[in-house]
Amino acid sequence: MLAYIIRRVAQSALVLLIVGLAAFSMFRFVGDPIDNMLGQERTAADIERLREQLGLDQSFPVQYFKFLEGAVQGNFGVSYRQGRPVADILMERAPATLELAAVSGVLAILLGIAFGVFTAIRRDGFVANFIMSASLIGVSLPTFLIGILLIYVFSVELGWLPSFGRGETVQIGSWSTGFLTATGLKALVLPSITLGLYQMTLIMRLVRSEMLEVLRQDYIRFARARGLRDRTVNFRHALKNTMVPVITVIGLQLGAIIAFAIITETVFQWPGVGLLFINAVQFVDIPVMAAYLMLISVMFVGINLIVDMLYFFIDPRLRVDRSGGH
């Protein structure tokens, strides 16, 4: 068990190093931040002085390893655009993204599992067929188009919900939350549905497929032959075995929610790290872009590492294989 955990942690660290290297390499082709930081009347001496001050005159390996050294210590440098520490900027923006991702993830998991189980148990019913047909919307339409449609219906036509922004927030220490205000909760509705709809439909279809497969197994027929109630068979035996492969996909989708919140934040002008990244790209703010990608990578890899650990404990076959191998 310990060897398995060490190996997975080492693999995760290697992935982060590779992602950081790839991201840092791509930024060399985005543009020169000096062009945006100095005016039209800049001189060659001004350019050289600023380049030296930012460390851009150093070789790529030196810049990369300095970035990694600072990142390990939580120091991502200073934003070229705002002139403030990148870590402070991320701390200001992270609560908005994490709250949006949390609400979207909860909706996607709960509704996805519930609808998946329902459509599997009532697979020939009208409501189940309607849900499966409607789920094609979440799978087929791109996220930005779903957001625009929701804005048009619920903000423009009906005027029920805000179309942009986060609403009023409450400061709790260094964390700003919109959960404690009415406008904050209303502002969360449309972005969270937009962000979580695709993941919800994906989880729903996977749960339905896996549960239909489990319901065909011999031990389920044996449980029914013993006279167990349908509720016990469906939820105690079938659903439990259905969730083993589903957990892995749920973990991947939670990582995807955080990683792809950038599109939803752009559509709804949500003041999170995704919108911060878009603005950083336009200004060639390399420290912010690098810190954003490293932060998303850490979250994504961390979630997958946790899922691997859960999978190890949930599926007894893995434990048997590991013990048998030793």
Side-chain angles (χ1 to χ4, degrees):
M1 176 62 186
L2 181 60
Y4 177 75
I5 294 177
I6 294 175
R7 184 166 59 252
R8 293 298 298 138
V9 171
Q11 292 173 351
S12 300
L14 180 60
V15 169
L16 290 177
L17 288 175
I18 295 175
V19 169
L21 179 61
F24 215 78
S25 300
M26 288 189 297
F27 294 152
R28 296 170 64 87
F29 304 100
V30 175
D32 191 351
I34 303 296
D35 295 336
N36 294 322
M37 299 179 69
L38 296 177
Q40 295 294 330
E41 299 180 357
R42 63 183 183 270
T43 64
D46 294 333
I47 296 176
E48 188 64 26
R49 183 175 63 254
L50 184 57
R51 191 176 298 278
E52 182 179 355
Q53 179 182 346
L54 298 176
L56 299 177
D57 59 331
Q58 299 173 339
S59 63
F60 173 78
V62 173
Q63 294 183 47
Y64 175 63
F65 283 109
K66 281 190 174 182
F67 169 75
L68 288 182
E69 182 182 1
V72 171
Q73 302 173 5
N75 179 17
F76 296 98
V78 177
S79 169
Y80 295 164
R81 182 184 182 188
Q82 302 185 32
R84 299 169 53 207
V86 175
D88 294 345
I89 301 174
L90 290 177
M91 286 298 297
E92 292 176 358
R93 297 294 194 103
T97 297
L98 292 177
E99 287 187 356
L100 175 61
V103 174
S104 301
V106 170
L107 289 177
I109 293 172
L110 294 182
L111 295 180
I113 293 175
F115 286 151
V117 171
F118 178 81
T119 54
I121 296 175
R122 309 286 185 180
R123 55 184 176 278
D124 297 324
F126 172 78
V127 176
N129 289 326
F130 174 79
I131 292 175
M132 290 301 298
S133 300
S135 69
L136 293 175
I137 298 176
V139 174
S140 305
L141 293 181
T143 301
F144 73 89
L145 184 56
I146 294 175
I148 293 173
L149 290 174
L150 290 177
I151 289 174
Y152 177 75
V153 174
F154 294 101
S155 298
V156 177
E157 292 295 327
L158 299 177
W160 291 351
L161 298 168
S163 60
F164 66 92
R166 196 183 174 196
E168 297 181 7
T169 60
V170 175
Q171 198 72 26
I172 302 178
S174 60
W175 187 276
S176 62
T177 178
F179 288 154
L180 302 179
T181 64
T183 57
L185 292 174
K186 290 177 64 176
L188 265 172
V189 175
L190 295 185
S192 59
I193 293 175
T194 302
L195 183 58
L197 185 60
Y198 174 78
Q199 279 73 23
M200 184 201 74
T201 54
L202 189 65
I203 293 172
M204 181 194 76
R205 287 176 168 272
L206 179 63
V207 170
R208 179 180 185 273
S209 175
E210 292 292 334
M211 190 148 188
L212 288 175
E213 184 66 25
V214 170
L215 289 174
R216 299 189 188 101
Q217 299 299 315
D218 292 337
Y219 67 87
I220 296 295
R221 297 193 184 99
F222 179 71
R224 295 187 190 280
R226 289 175 55 196
L228 296 179
R229 295 181 301 174
D230 287 343
R231 185 184 187 89
T232 303
V233 172
N234 292 331
F235 292 98
R236 184 175 178 180
H237 297 283
L239 182 59
K240 179 181 179 180
N241 290 279
T242 296
M243 293 307 297
V244 173
V246 171
I247 287 176
T248 301
V249 175
I250 288 178
L252 292 173
Q253 294 310 306
L254 289 178
I257 284 177
I258 298 175
F260 299 120
I262 183 172
I263 300 174
T264 303
E265 290 184 8
T266 303
V267 172
F268 290 93
Q269 290 298 291
W270 189 263
V273 293
L275 187 60
L276 175 68
F277 177 76
I278 292 295
N279 294 332
V281 171
Q282 295 173 351
F283 197 79
V284 198
D285 198 343
I286 294 177
V288 173
M289 292 190 289
Y292 169 82
L293 290 179
M294 288 300 296
L295 178 65
I296 295 301
S297 300
V298 168
M299 291 183 179
F300 205 101
V301 171
I303 289 174
N304 281 277
L305 182 61
I306 293 173
V307 168
D308 284 343
M309 298 298 103
L310 289 176
Y311 201 74
F312 186 87
F313 284 107
I314 291 175
D315 193 346
R317 292 172 297 180
L318 286 178
R319 296 196 296 272
V320 172
D321 291 342
R322 298 293 175 185
S323 60
H326 293 295

